[in-house]
Amino acid sequence: MNATADVVESGSMVRGTQGNVFILALKHGAGLPVASQRSTDPEKFSGFAILPLPSAGDYFISLSQEGWIDAIQNGVPAASTAHAGDPNCPGLRKSVRFTLSASPLTLEISNATSDRIVVAVTRTHS
């Protein structure tokens, strides 16, 4: 994934000019708007970004390294429908599929191992 993408500070809105790939700046023990569905380690990094989703559909959310993904819409966590990953794959650690509506997405990342993580949000066409 593109490690030269724009950096988005935790809590920020991802703008259209940043496209669907960005670097999310994380912090130790950062507060998340909605409690993660997995217990969080305060020694690891977390953060969130808000993304406009112009259309409903299935989306893959991919991370460049270890981390937990929560996709929140209207204050409710979305259930994942599929996932893939390989701890030995440099640059693309995991991808999780969610069925999302055409409304803002609060993307929460927790339990990451560094303070920067590359995120890709891609609508599927299947």
Side-chain angles (χ1 to χ4, degrees):
M1 290 199 310
N2 185 352
T4 62
D6 290 342
V7 175
V8 174
E9 295 299 321
S10 180
S12 298
M13 173 75 74
V14 176
R15 304 286 176 207
T17 59
Q18 294 167 318
N20 64 345
V21 177
F22 57 95
I23 299 168
L24 183 59
L26 306 172
K27 301 175 184 174
H28 273 119
L32 300 173
V34 175
S36 178
Q37 294 187 345
R38 173 170 274 193
S39 61
T40 57
D41 180 344
E43 295 301 314
K44 292 192 175 179
F45 297 89
S46 59
F48 70 99
I50 302 164
L51 295 87
L53 291 184
S55 59
D58 289 336
Y59 288 81
F60 274 112
I61 300 173
S62 303
L63 302 179
S64 61
Q65 61 180 307
E66 179 183 338
W68 180 260
I69 301 167
D70 286 299
I72 314 294
Q73 286 191 305
N74 302 312
V76 179
S80 64
T81 59
H83 65 279
D86 182 349
N88 299 311
C89 183
L92 183 57
R93 169 64 177 86
K94 74 185 303 183
S95 291
V96 181
R97 185 177 186 159
F98 297 91
T99 300
L100 302 169
S101 64
S103 64
L105 167 68
T106 300
L107 176 61
E108 299 181 344
I109 307 298
S110 58
N111 293 330
T113 56
S114 81
D115 65 350
R116 297 279 190 271
I117 193 165
V118 181
V119 179
V121 179
T122 310
R123 185 156 189 249
T124 67
H125 298 286
S126 56

